[in-house]
């Protein structure tokens, strides 16, 4: 979740997907009599051609089955999912924060009505259907325009989903948005997360290592020019080999986001949000027995872990609710580490603390990249060194 919030800025996709899985399981756990109130959604039947449209193919709107990705998603041209930015006070206040994210039934209904009106839907939904209140909250949080966690949906897709949700609360009504969200998670978020996880250095560190590699190559070229122009033996030019090899080696690895020096200990630099004690990770939760007992039997239309105080601190971090189904947007400008990291000196950002990489798969991928950088650096350095040694002396100096 850290990557989705702080790097790709599209955590709403995973938050919605997790809710939909829970909701689907909860819906099919209902008695058959209650499930019958919300039948599976089926798209309108094909329109029969009339008049001048006899020779044209019929217009159909086939609905893909729920859970089967048949919706075409263009990942190359798709805009990144939107997470509307919101301004929050740097000083976190528990009461004001919780009151800000707690929406009343009336505000949820108003949001749903506005979304339906923009989609051209005039009539009201069936309130007797199970989980209608929860569906309304999902619409106000993820589907409606300008919602706190608005999904990146086109107007046509949003209208189709709202039309389906007016008819039924069956999970099949989310089939279209489910396929889009799952396609984004599988086709974009997951591969990008793997590439991001492989990087063991932060941006200042990687830029520093990359510039160091360029400096080594430049130093080797200057040394080679000096030795060629002098009367020194040509075998002195072999000293250019280590400079060229180190420069190309760390430069190629830095291009992949790896720092070879940190890699020797299979470590990685701490992320900016991990360097301070005001909630070091979105995945760090204090599991209190009282909280667990209080949430037993809760429905998914309730806010999960709305306020989990840190042990011994008496404070509540806004990051504790980042995994909640319903809450504020995923902006993090209000978090305390943002201002602290901006004031941190550049030298301390480059040589920040490191931690050991626990995931063995990530370590193996990093070993492969470093080995490839060694091989490529050797393939480039050996011919260049041979050429430098073979050049005749000029004796200018």
């Amino acid at each position: 979740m850290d990557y989705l919030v702080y790097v790709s800025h599209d955590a709403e996709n995973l938050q919605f997907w997790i809710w939909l899985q829970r909701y689907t399981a909860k819906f099919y756990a209902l008695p058959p009599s209650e499930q019958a109130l919300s039948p599976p959604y089926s798209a309108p039947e094909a329109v029969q051609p009339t008049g001048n449209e006899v020779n044209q193919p019929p217009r159909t709107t086939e609905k893909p089955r729920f859970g089967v990705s048949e919706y075409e998603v263009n990942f190359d041209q798709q805009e990144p999912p939107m997470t509307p930015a919101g301004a929050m006070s740097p000083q976190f206040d528990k009461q004001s924060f919780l009151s800000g994210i707690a929406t009343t039934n009336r505000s949820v209904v108003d949001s749903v009505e506005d979304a339906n009106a923009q989609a051209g839907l005039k009539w009201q939904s069936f309130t007797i259907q199970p989980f209608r209140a929860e569906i309304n909250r999902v619409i106000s949080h993820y589907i409606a325009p300008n919602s706190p966690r608005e999904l990146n949906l086109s107007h046509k897709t949003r209208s189709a989903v709202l039309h389906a949700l007016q008819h039924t609360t069956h999970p099949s009504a989310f089939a279209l948005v489910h396929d889009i969200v799952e396609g984004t998670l599988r086709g974009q978020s997951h591969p990008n997360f793997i590439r991001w996880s492989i990087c063991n250095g932060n941006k200042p560190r990687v830029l520093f290592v990359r510039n160091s590699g360029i400096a080594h190559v430049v130093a080797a070229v200057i040394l080679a020019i000096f030795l060629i122009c002098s009367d020194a033996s040509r075998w002195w030019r072999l000293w250019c080999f280590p400079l060229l090899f180190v420069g190309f080696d760390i430069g190629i690895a830095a291009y992949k986001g790896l720092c070879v020096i940190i890699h020797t200990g299979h470590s990685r630099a701490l992320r900016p949000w991990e360097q301070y004690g005001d909630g070091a990770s979105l995945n760090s939760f204090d599991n209190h027995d009282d909280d667990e007992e209080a949430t037993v039997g809760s429905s998914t239309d309730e806010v999960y872990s709305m306020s989990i105080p840190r042990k011994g601190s008496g404070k509540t971090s806004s990051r504790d609710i980042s995994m909640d189904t319903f809450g504020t947007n995923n902006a993090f400008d209000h978090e305390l580490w943002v201002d602290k990291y901006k004031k941190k000196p550049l030298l301390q950002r480059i040589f920040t603390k490191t931690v050991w990489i626990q995931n063995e798969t990530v370590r193996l991928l990093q070993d492969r990249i470093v080995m490839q950088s060694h091989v490529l650096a050797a393939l480039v350095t050996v011919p260049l060194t041979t050429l430098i040694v073979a050049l005749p002396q000029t004796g200018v100096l």
Side-chain angles (χ1 to χ4, degrees):
M1 183 60 74
D2 286 357
Y3 168 78
L4 295 177
V5 173
Y6 298 123
V7 182
S8 63
H9 310 295
D10 56 356
E12 61 274 359
N13 290 318
L14 182 58
Q15 291 164 340
F16 174 82
W17 188 88
I18 293 175
W19 168 84
L20 186 57
Q21 305 309 307
R22 294 170 175 170
Y23 178 78
T24 302
K26 186 175 65 172
F27 183 89
Y28 285 111
L30 291 173
S33 58
E34 295 189 30
Q35 293 187 30
L37 298 175
S38 294
Y41 177 73
S42 58
E45 297 179 357
V47 179
Q48 297 298 329
T50 59
N52 297 330
E53 299 180 354
V54 175
N55 297 327
Q56 298 180 3
R59 293 172 295 178
T60 58
T61 55
E62 296 181 356
K63 192 73 175 182
R65 292 177 299 172
F66 180 70
V68 181
S69 295
E70 298 178 2
Y71 190 79
E72 183 178 358
V73 182
N74 190 341
F75 296 113
D76 296 332
Q77 300 180 359
Q78 182 180 2
E79 297 181 357
M82 297 178 295
T83 303
M88 298 184 67
S89 173
Q91 300 296 331
F92 179 77
D93 181 71
K94 175 181 178 180
Q95 188 64 29
S96 61
F97 186 78
L98 294 179
S99 62
I101 65 175
T103 57
T104 61
N105 292 333
R106 182 59 187 168
S107 63
V108 171
V109 172
D110 292 342
S111 178
V112 174
E113 290 179 352
D114 292 341
N116 290 337
Q118 294 186 28
L121 305 176
K122 303 300 182 181
W123 52 280
Q124 298 294 327
S125 306
F126 299 106
T127 57
I128 196 175
Q129 293 174 335
F131 307 123
R132 173 55 66 180
E134 182 173 359
I135 293 298
N136 289 339
R137 296 192 66 184
V138 170
I139 294 175
S140 64
H141 276 77
Y142 294 96
I143 309 297
N146 301 321
S147 54
R149 298 176 180 178
E150 181 182 358
L151 298 174
N152 187 24
L153 304 175
S154 64
H155 176 73
K156 181 179 180 180
T157 302
R158 182 181 291 109
S159 300
V161 174
L162 291 174
H163 184 269
L165 293 175
Q166 275 199 330
H167 288 80
T168 181
T169 58
H170 193 276
S172 59
F174 290 101
L176 188 58
V177 65
H178 167 271
D179 292 344
I180 294 177
V181 169
E182 186 173 24
T184 302
L185 290 173
R186 293 182 182 273
Q188 286 185 325
S189 300
H190 183 257
N192 293 336
F193 170 72
I194 297 299
R195 286 189 287 267
W196 175 78
S197 300
I198 294 174
C199 301
N200 64 354
N202 53 21
K203 187 175 182 179
R205 180 82 178 219
V206 172
L207 291 177
F208 174 78
V209 174
R210 188 179 301 175
N211 293 332
S212 299
I214 297 175
H216 278 76
V217 175
V218 172
V221 173
I222 295 175
L223 178 61
I225 294 174
F226 176 79
L227 293 176
I228 291 173
C229 296
S230 66
D231 295 331
S233 173
R234 67 176 61 215
W235 300 112
W236 285 99
R237 304 175 195 175
L238 292 176
W239 286 104
C240 298
F241 179 85
L243 290 175
L244 289 173
F245 180 81
V246 172
F248 285 117
D249 186 23
I250 63 178
I252 295 173
Y255 178 76
K256 296 291 187 178
L258 284 177
C259 175
V260 179
I261 298 176
I262 299 180
H263 175 73
T264 56
H266 282 115
S267 302
R268 67 168 179 86
L270 287 175
R271 316 295 184 191
W273 54 88
E274 296 175 337
Q275 299 177 17
Y276 303 97
D278 55 332
S281 176
L282 291 173
N283 300 323
S284 301
F285 295 94
D286 295 329
N287 296 321
H288 302 289
D289 295 338
D290 296 339
D291 297 329
E292 292 178 357
E293 294 176 359
T295 56
V296 172
S298 301
S299 62
T300 54
D301 61 341
E302 297 178 353
V303 179
Y304 292 95
S305 304
M306 285 290 295
S307 175
I308 304 179
R310 296 286 178 185
K311 289 182 178 180
S313 64
K315 298 181 180 179
T316 302
S317 173
S318 60
R319 301 176 66 179
D320 290 333
I321 64 169
S322 61
M323 289 294 292
D324 296 343
T325 300
F326 306 110
T328 59
N329 56 37
N330 295 310
F332 55 88
D333 295 339
H334 63 282
E335 296 187 12
L336 300 179
W337 67 266
V338 176
D339 291 334
K340 292 182 180 180
Y341 188 76
K342 288 181 180 179
K343 298 177 182 178
K344 192 173 185 178
L346 179 60
L347 195 61
Q348 294 183 11
R349 296 186 189 183
I350 296 175
F351 299 101
T352 187
K353 295 181 180 180
T354 60
V355 293
W356 184 67
I357 299 175
Q358 301 180 5
N359 193 301
E360 183 178 0
T361 303
V362 174
R363 297 199 303 268
L364 293 176
L365 291 174
Q366 291 178 345
D367 291 341
R368 181 181 301 178
I369 293 175
V370 172
M371 183 60 64
Q372 291 175 353
S373 66
H374 292 342
V375 174
L376 292 176
L379 293 177
V380 176
T381 304
V382 171
L384 286 178
T385 305
T386 304
L387 178 61
I388 293 173
V389 174
L391 290 175
Q393 289 181 332
T394 61
V396 175
L397 299 179

